[in-house]
Amino acid sequence: MFEPVIAPSGTLLGLLQRGRGDGTLHALTAPRPEALEALNHCVLRDPRHDWQVENRSLYYARLFLDLNGELDEIEAHLFGAEDVLDADESRTGLALAVLGHLASYGRRDALELLRRYAAHGSNWAWALDELALRDDDAGLRALAAPVLARFPADPEGDAELAVTVRDAFEPRPWRLWAEDPRESIATRVRAAHETGCFDRWQRQMRPAGPRPGWSVQAVFEWAQQGLERGAALHVPAARCLTAVAGPEDRAEIIQAAKDGGDGARCTALRYLADGNDPDAFGLIESAVATGSTVVADAAVDAFERMRSLAAVHQARGWARRPDALGAAAGRVLACRGGAQDRDLVLTALREAVRGDGPDAPTLWTLVDGTGRLGIACAAPVLRHIYRETASSHLRGRAARALAATDPSFATGFAVECLWDCEETTREIAARHAETGDARVVERLRRLAADPAEEAEVQTAVRSRIGPEETAV
C-alpha cells in the first residue's frame, strides 16, 4: 500500500482524511456534491497511516447517512478491473467496513453490495466478516456455494480451505455452513474444520525455540540465528536468560553486552536493563555510541523500559543529549518523572515537533506525559499537534492532554471531538464538552441513542445528561 497523501488540515478533504470532528461539521454545511466528493475520496483511497488500528469506517458511514450518499462510486471501486489485479485487502478494506456499518444502520443497498462482493470480489473474506456480524442466516447460506467454489475440489484446494476456515476472523458463516442441509457443502466444511484443528494441535506439539536446560550461550546463539533470518528475537531471548542464567553467568552476559554479536548484545542489554543491573546504564550508553543500528535501537528500547528510580535519575542527565538516547530520556521522564521534570519534558516535546513534525512517533509518549504532568504552557504545542497530525490516535492523546492543561478545551476542541472518528476521543469529549452549546446537547443525545456507539462513550454521555434526555 502506498503512503497516503494528506491534504492540508484547513481543507475539507484534509479534515475528513484525519477523521476530525470538524470534518463532519464542515461537510454538513458545504455544498452536498463537494462534500460527497471529498467523502468518497477518503473511502476509496484509505488515508490512514496505520489502517489496522486507526478508526475511520463508522465516522465515514455516519457522514454517508447524514448526506444520504449514494454508493455508486464504492460499487465501481469494488468491482473495477483493479480488484482482479490488486488483491491487497488494504485497497478495499475501508470501503467494505463502511458498507458494513451502513448495513447495520439499515441501508439495504449496502447489504446487497456486500453480498455481491463476498460472492465475486477478491477481498471476499473481509466482506464475509462484515456480513457475519450483520446478515441473517438465509443471506449467509446463499453465499456458501460461491465461496466454496473458490477452492478447487482437490488436495491443494482442500488444504487452502482448511487454512481459511482455521484462521477465519468471524467463524459464524463457517459454523452455519457446517450444518447446511446440502450435504456436499456441510461435509466439505466439516472436513476443513477438522483438518484445521489438527494442524493447530500439531503446531502446539512442535514448539520452536529454547528448551529446558539450555545454556546462556545457547540462548545467545538462538537470538543470533533469528537476527540472521530477519526475526528480532532478543526480547524473548532475554526472558529465556532470566530462566537459565545464574549469578555465575553475569560476567559472560556483561561481556556479550560489551562486544558480542548483534543478537547476543541486544539480548544481554535487554536482560541487564530488565534486571536493573548497576552496569546497565554504562553498557547502554556504549552500545548507542559504538553499536550497529540494531544494537543501538535495542539499547535505547531497553533503557526506556526501565522502571527504577535510578533510571529516572539517569534520564535527567541524558535528556539534553541530541540523539536517540536523549529522546528516550525525555520519554522516560514523560512517563515516570515528577513535577521537577516539566521543563525537560516540554523541551523534548517542542524539539520533537520542530525537528520531526506533528506525526513523530516520539510524540505519543511526550503528549501523554505533558498531560500527566499538567504542563499548562504546553497547550499551544498540543493544539498544533491536534490540528496537524494525520494520526487519529495521536490527536486523541493530544485531546486528553489538552483536557488536563487547557482551560479553553471544554468550549473549543472538545465540541468537535464529539464527532471524532476515534471512540476514545469521543469519550473524552463527552466528559468535558460544555453543554451550554446547543450542538453539544443534541450530539450527546444522538450518541446515547446510537446502537453503533461504543459502550464507554455512551456511559460518558449518560454521566452528563439525565435518562429523560436520552429518549429518542
Side-chain angles (χ1 to χ4, degrees):
M1 180 179 176
F2 293 106
E3 190 74 9
V5 177
I6 306 298
S9 61
T11 64
L12 174 59
L13 177 59
L15 290 170
L16 290 178
Q17 286 177 316
R18 289 168 171 81
R20 278 183 56 182
D22 257 5
T24 294
L25 297 174
H26 279 64
L28 294 177
T29 58
R32 183 171 177 273
E34 178 186 338
L36 284 174
E37 180 182 5
L39 176 58
N40 278 309
H41 184 284
C42 294
V43 173
L44 306 186
R45 301 168 184 83
D46 194 335
R48 294 170 292 182
H49 283 270
D50 190 343
W51 63 273
Q52 292 179 309
V53 298
E54 290 188 55
N55 295 315
R56 292 292 189 282
S57 54
L58 180 58
Y59 172 82
Y60 293 142
R62 283 171 167 168
L63 187 51
F64 259 112
L65 289 176
D66 290 338
L67 295 173
N68 193 26
E70 301 84 4
L71 304 181
D72 296 352
E73 291 196 33
I74 292 181
E75 181 178 11
H77 178 73
L78 293 178
F79 292 99
E82 193 174 356
D83 192 58
V84 179
L85 303 174
D86 182 4
D88 190 330
E89 63 181 7
S90 65
R91 192 189 77 85
T92 54
L94 179 57
L96 295 171
V98 169
L99 290 177
H101 284 299
L102 289 173
S104 70
Y105 280 119
R107 286 281 296 259
R108 186 74 185 183
D109 52 348
L111 181 66
E112 295 294 343
L113 199 50
L114 278 173
R115 287 172 174 173
R116 280 179 53 208
Y117 191 80
H120 305 292
S122 295
N123 193 13
W124 61 272
W126 191 312
L128 186 62
D129 285 339
E130 297 291 339
L131 290 167
L133 299 173
R134 297 165 175 102
D135 208 352
D136 55 28
D137 287 356
L140 290 175
R141 285 196 184 98
L143 292 171
V147 168
L148 291 181
R150 296 174 179 276
F151 304 92
D154 55 30
E156 184 176 338
D158 289 340
E160 185 181 355
L161 176 61
V163 171
T164 300
V165 174
R166 182 194 70 201
D167 298 338
F169 190 74
E170 293 291 344
R172 180 183 164 220
W174 302 101
R175 290 173 180 168
L176 193 65
W177 297 343
E179 304 300 327
D180 197 282
R182 292 165 290 185
E183 192 61 30
S184 60
I185 289 175
T187 299
R188 195 171 184 207
V189 173
R190 283 198 296 266
H193 180 70
E194 291 170 0
T195 300
C197 290
F198 182 70
D199 289 345
R200 187 178 294 111
W201 175 80
Q202 283 187 313
R203 290 205 307 270
Q204 292 170 346
M205 293 298 291
R206 295 196 301 266
R211 302 286 196 279
W214 271 31
S215 65
V216 167
Q217 186 57 39
V219 173
F220 286 154
E221 290 172 358
W222 179 64
Q224 183 62 37
Q225 290 166 6
L227 197 61
E228 291 169 357
R229 296 194 309 269
L233 298 178
H234 63 275
V235 174
R239 290 197 295 267
C240 292
L241 277 187
T242 302
V244 306
E248 69 280 4
D249 299 306
R250 182 174 181 274
E252 181 181 358
I253 295 172
I254 292 287
Q255 192 61 42
K258 288 180 178 177
D259 55 16
D262 282 1
R265 198 173 184 184
C266 292
T267 301
L269 288 166
R270 182 62 170 250
Y271 169 81
L272 294 169
D274 285 352
N276 293 313
D277 189 282
D279 288 337
F281 298 126
L283 292 167
I284 287 170
E285 190 170 24
S286 175
V288 170
T290 65
S292 65
T293 300
V294 171
V295 170
D297 289 346
V300 168
D301 185 57
F303 168 65
E304 197 169 344
R305 285 177 50 84
M306 296 180 76
R307 299 293 186 268
S308 65
L309 291 176
V312 174
H313 178 73
Q314 184 65 62
R316 291 174 182 139
W318 283 345
R320 292 183 174 84
R321 290 176 57 128
D323 61 4
L325 193 53
R331 294 191 293 271
V332 168
L333 295 177
C335 289
R336 293 179 286 282
Q340 69 270 36
D341 301 310
R342 287 175 177 172
D343 288 345
L344 290 174
V345 173
L346 177 59
T347 298
L349 179 73
R350 287 171 171 165
E351 288 298 323
V353 173
R354 187 180 298 116
D356 300 314
D359 290 310
T362 191
L363 288 176
W364 290 49
T365 303
L366 294 174
V367 165
D368 285 350
T370 301
R372 183 182 71 84
L373 295 171
I375 308 175
C377 57
V381 184
L382 293 172
R383 293 189 203 109
H384 173 75
I385 295 169
Y386 177 96
R387 292 189 188 97
E388 299 300 328
T389 181
S391 167
S392 54
H393 278 191
L394 178 55
R395 182 176 64 253
R397 289 170 181 254
R400 185 179 293 107
L402 283 167
T405 60
D406 186 0
S408 69
F409 177 72
T411 56
F413 285 139
V415 176
E416 76 154 280
C417 284
L418 288 169
W419 284 265
D420 198 87
C421 66
E422 296 290 343
E423 66 268 15
T424 52
T425 307
R426 296 195 297 276
E427 181 183 355
I428 294 166
R431 297 190 184 281
H432 291 91
E434 175 55 60
T435 54
D437 188 325
R439 295 176 303 168
V440 171
V441 176
E442 178 57 34
R443 183 60 176 173
L444 290 175
R445 288 171 177 163
R446 183 169 177 179
L447 293 175
D450 191 337
E453 189 51 80
E454 296 292 332
E456 292 81 0
V457 178
Q458 293 189 327
T459 298
V461 168
R462 289 174 182 134
S463 71
R464 301 292 304 284
I465 59 178
E468 70 281 357
E469 295 179 272
T470 65
V472 181

